[in-house]
Structure formats: C-alpha cells, structure tokens
Amino acid sequence: MPRPSASVVLLRRGGKHGDRALEVLLLKRTEEAKFMPGVWVFPGGAVDAGDGEGEAGYRACAKRELEEEAGIGLPEDEELVLFSRWITPEVVSRRFDAWFFLALAPAHPPPKPDGIETTEARWFEPRLALEAQHNDELALAFPTVQQLKQLQPLKTASEAIEAHRGRTVEPILPKVIGTPDQHRVVLPGDPDYPE
C-alpha cells in the first residue's frame, strides 16, 4: 500500500520580487538517503499520526515538513491549494500517495536545509530547473518534472494559486512499461497506458 505523504510547492510571492518570474523552492536530498539520494524535491514527507486524518492531515503534514526540512513556517491561516496527487508506480518497492499543495512563501525567512534530510535549498524558475535537469546539472523526480512543466506557463504565484484553487484533483498513477533494460513511464491518457 502506498504510504500517505504530502509536500508544499512553495511559490515566491510578489513585493520586491514582483519583477521576477515565478519561482519555486526545491531542496536537495542528502546523498546518504535510502530513497532518492541527491534528488531535488519539493519539501515534504510521510503523514504522521499526529498530523490528523483525511485532507486536513495531509495539509498539516505538508506544513510540518516544510518547517522541518527548510526552516520555513507558514502562518496558521496560510492557504494551501491542492495542486496534484501522485501515486508511486506498483513496480517500485517504496510507494507513496503524495499530495502536493501550492502555498505562498512568507516575505522574509530564507530557506535553511536541515543538514540531515536536505543539504541545499534554492529558488528556481520552473523553466530553469527543467533546463538544468535536461543538461544533467540537476536530478529531479518524474512527478517534480511534470509539476514544474505545469507551472512553467504561469507568470506569478498569485496566478498559479488562482488557476488551481477549487479545481478537482484526480490521483495520477504512472505505470512503467517495457523491459527492465528498455522501459518508459506512461501517464493516464497515454495510448500505451495499461488499463
């Protein structure tokens, strides 16, 4: 069974950054991690019993993980907008049912990696993160790539939040097809997606 988990796709707000393109926070996982070592990810992790049940538990987990991994606390009333939901393919032994929430970054505190799970923290324009991944300068997980592609056409954090507020989010279960030597990941809607 996939383990419930949640992440924050933290967006840089306007103000003095108003003339910049939309930026998202990515953290580099430690090279010692058993799961996705050295990969750049959105802050997140597994839902704990103390986080609560249902969607409220996922939201509490996302906020807690952001504070633990990046040192950024969100105000109690900060809006978290459900952005996407990804379920790890069945062929992977360590599976997650990951809920991703969009949120606006507080104005002042810079991200600080915890030095245990995360070793670096940087703001990226989605386009530049995707280019760095394409040039093998940055390792990104498949769901991260897909979400950055979704954010790429949006100009501001407010536009991104507005575009996704109140939207129905269906879980995405990628499937791996082919052989161990020659395989590819397909998404629902792909003609090759196995039913």
Side-chain angles (χ1 to χ4, degrees):
M1 283 294 291
R3 188 170 177 194
S5 67
S7 294
V8 175
V9 180
L10 196 65
L11 307 173
R12 192 111 71 152
R13 69 169 72 238
K16 63 183 176 183
H17 303 294
D19 56 344
R20 293 187 187 174
L22 172 73
E23 292 180 319
V24 298
L25 178 65
L26 291 174
L27 305 176
K28 185 178 183 186
R29 290 177 54 79
T30 178
E31 297 289 349
E32 281 76 53
K34 290 181 182 165
F35 183 69
M36 295 194 307
V39 173
W40 289 80
V41 297
F42 300 117
V47 176
D48 289 346
D51 293 325
E53 298 286 323
E55 191 166 329
Y58 282 95
R59 288 174 188 279
C61 170
K63 282 186 169 185
R64 176 180 52 75
E65 289 287 343
L66 175 64
E67 190 152 13
E68 287 175 7
E69 294 184 351
I72 295 177
L74 293 178
E76 190 66 36
D77 60 349
E78 184 64 52
E79 181 181 23
L80 269 72
V81 173
L82 185 57
F83 178 45
S84 64
R85 183 177 169 197
W86 289 79
I87 301 173
T88 313
E90 289 106 340
V91 297
V92 179
S93 59
R94 197 167 184 175
R95 299 184 67 212
F96 293 93
D97 179 353
W99 294 42
F100 293 84
F101 296 92
L102 296 174
L104 294 174
H108 299 294
K112 293 185 198 92
D114 65 10
I116 301 163
E117 290 184 76
T118 62
T119 57
E120 292 182 56
R122 283 177 43 199
W123 291 99
F124 289 91
E125 289 180 33
R127 175 182 62 81
L128 296 178
L130 291 167
E131 282 177 14
Q133 189 257 354
H134 179 75
N135 296 329
D136 294 326
E137 299 162 5
L138 202 68
L140 296 172
F142 183 81
T144 307
V145 169
Q146 300 307 310
Q147 291 173 92
L148 289 170
K149 286 179 180 176
Q150 244 186 299
L151 290 170
Q152 194 172 346
L154 302 169
K155 302 277 186 260
T156 66
S158 299
E159 185 183 342
I161 297 279
E162 195 56 45
H164 293 88
R165 184 182 286 124
R167 233 186 55 198
T168 300
V169 173
E170 296 294 335
I172 300 168
L173 173 61
K175 298 212 175 177
V176 180
I177 60 171
T179 65
D181 293 333
Q182 288 191 315
H183 62 275
R184 68 183 181 100
V185 178
V186 292
L187 296 173
D190 187 300
D192 295 331
Y193 189 83
E195 292 302 324

